[in-house]
Amino acid sequence: MSAPLARRPPAAAADVPALRCAGLVHVYREAGTDVAALRGIDLEVEPGQRVALLGPSGSGKSTLLTVVAGIMRPSAGTVAVFGTDLGNARERNLRRLRAGTLGLMLQGASTNLLLHEGAGANVEWALRGIPSGSTRVADQLLDAAGLRADDRPVREMSPAEQQMLALAVAMSTRPRLLLADEPTSQLDDADRDRLLDLLVEIADQQGTAVLLVTHDELVAARMQRSIHLRDGRIGEEATAAGRYAVIGADGSIPLPEALRAEWGSGRLVSIDAVAPGELRIRGAETGGDHD
Ligand code: ADP
Ligand code: MG
């Protein structure tokens, strides 16, 4: 009983979530007006878990992804990627995280690519100085996209081709957390399915956690969890087990969309625990109904 002491894995990596957001707030400060894009996000993603991020335009999806990518610091709350607190991390550590741990595909595929270079050169550029990267992974994706032997520069590619290349580039570094903002928005159904099959297969193989913004329920269905954002908050989460409201850090419970019109804001309700695991919400009686 003496040997095991020195053999501990560093920082018990398996227990550290891929992503942990707690009370995450982000406010854009523009001249004259502030826009609160994230209003208290609590979210934990396990290593290897795939999560879809849904929600209407303007609900904060891209802001969340950009903050998780370490591109913008949050205004308040915490965001940690594999245990690194992005709000407090030094720029050097953020750079290392972006290079070795995160795979990033921002909205608008071409923003992720070198426009005057071809597919191969874009992958090579992404893999510079990243020993864990893999041209094999990129080749798999480029093959699926029909871009492997293609030497056209990115600017001559179709939006769909650019999108597939951007995903190949993001995955080629073999990230532990892939962040992708609407990665299939330009693809037809066949390309979308082909790309998703590969994405899921490679992510499974490599144990890559995925946070993926999409408007497409079919894309979301390929992830293990779907988080719905509404006005900068998590409105609802869906898993294979069902759809759920998520209790916020402040104890608030967002109503399901379908009930919002009937149960408007300011309405008084009583909430009682009626049985273990069960709450009852009842509208307060409005005065004047009795005679
Ligand atoms: P989504 O990706 O869900 O469409 P965004 O994260 O892009 O939503 O935007 C969330 C909110 O923040 C919106 O009200 C949007 O107008 C605002 N917003 C986004 N980017 C900026 C910015 N750079 N400056 C000011 N406001 C912004
Ligand atoms: Mg967006």
Side-chain angles (χ1 to χ4, degrees), residues 28 30 35 37 55-64 107 181:
Y28 290 104
E30 302 255 293
V35 179
S57 180
S59 58
K61 304 179 299 293
S62 294
T63 303
L64 179 57
Q107 200 165 5
D181 202 344

Side-chain angles (χ1 to χ4, degrees), residues 175-257:
R176 295 170 72 199
L177 174 59
L178 174 73
L179 305 172
D181 202 344
E182 309 205 22
T184 62
S185 58
Q186 301 290 333
L187 306 184
D188 62 26
D189 291 359
D191 278 343
R192 178 198 63 200
D193 292 345
R194 211 145 29 110
L195 209 75
L196 274 176
D197 285 346
L198 256 171
L199 173 67
V200 167
E201 184 189 322
I202 295 171
D204 271 342
Q205 258 168 30
Q206 322 257 349
T208 311
V210 177
L211 186 60
L212 182 152
V213 173
T214 184
H215 286 286
D216 186 340
E217 290 283 350
L218 289 172
V219 175
R222 304 294 300 270
M223 308 288 121
Q224 289 130 343
R225 299 164 62 192
S226 296
I227 307 282
H228 293 250
L229 288 192
R230 198 168 69 196
D231 298 333
R233 293 195 176 93
I234 293 179
E236 183 175 271
E237 169 159 351
T239 66
R243 296 175 86 97
Y244 302 95
V246 184
I247 299 179
D250 61 355
S252 61
I253 305 176
L255 287 178
E257 200 65 51

Side-chain angles (χ1 to χ4, degrees), residues 67-260:
V67 170
V68 171
I71 293 171
M72 292 189 305
R73 305 238 187 203
S75 308
T78 56
V79 53
V81 170
F82 287 101
T84 300
D85 180 348
L86 302 188
N88 296 318
R90 287 161 181 267
E91 198 52 46
R92 179 162 38 103
N93 292 341
L94 286 182
R95 268 202 302 275
R96 192 164 45 206
L97 199 74
R98 278 189 224 114
T101 305
L102 290 172
L104 185 58
M105 182 175 169
L106 295 173
Q107 200 165 5
S110 62
T111 57
N112 301 277
L113 299 169
L114 302 171
L115 295 181
H116 301 288
E117 302 288 348
N122 268 277
V123 171
E124 271 169 42
W125 174 260
L127 293 182
R128 257 169 334 128
I130 301 183
S132 58
S134 161
T135 44
R136 202 179 51 78
V137 166
D139 285 348
Q140 264 180 290
L141 284 153
L142 293 182
D143 273 338
L147 289 171
R148 174 104 171 255
D150 196 321
D151 55 9
R152 282 172 307 153
V154 168
R155 62 183 145 75
E156 287 175 21
M157 294 178 184
S158 70
E161 289 169 329
Q162 292 180 351
Q163 205 156 46
M164 291 191 279
L165 176 57
L167 188 64
V169 165
M171 287 298 280
S172 66
T173 60
R174 298 205 301 166
R176 295 170 72 199
L177 174 59
L178 174 73
L179 305 172
D181 202 344
E182 309 205 22
T184 62
S185 58
Q186 301 290 333
L187 306 184
D188 62 26
D189 291 359
D191 278 343
R192 178 198 63 200
D193 292 345
R194 211 145 29 110
L195 209 75
L196 274 176
D197 285 346
L198 256 171
L199 173 67
V200 167
E201 184 189 322
I202 295 171
D204 271 342
Q205 258 168 30
Q206 322 257 349
T208 311
V210 177
L211 186 60
L212 182 152
V213 173
T214 184
H215 286 286
D216 186 340
E217 290 283 350
L218 289 172
V219 175
R222 304 294 300 270
M223 308 288 121
Q224 289 130 343
R225 299 164 62 192
S226 296
I227 307 282
H228 293 250
L229 288 192
R230 198 168 69 196
D231 298 333
R233 293 195 176 93
I234 293 179
E236 183 175 271
E237 169 159 351
T239 66
R243 296 175 86 97
Y244 302 95
V246 184
I247 299 179
D250 61 355
S252 61
I253 305 176
L255 287 178
E257 200 65 51
L259 295 178
R260 281 183 97 190

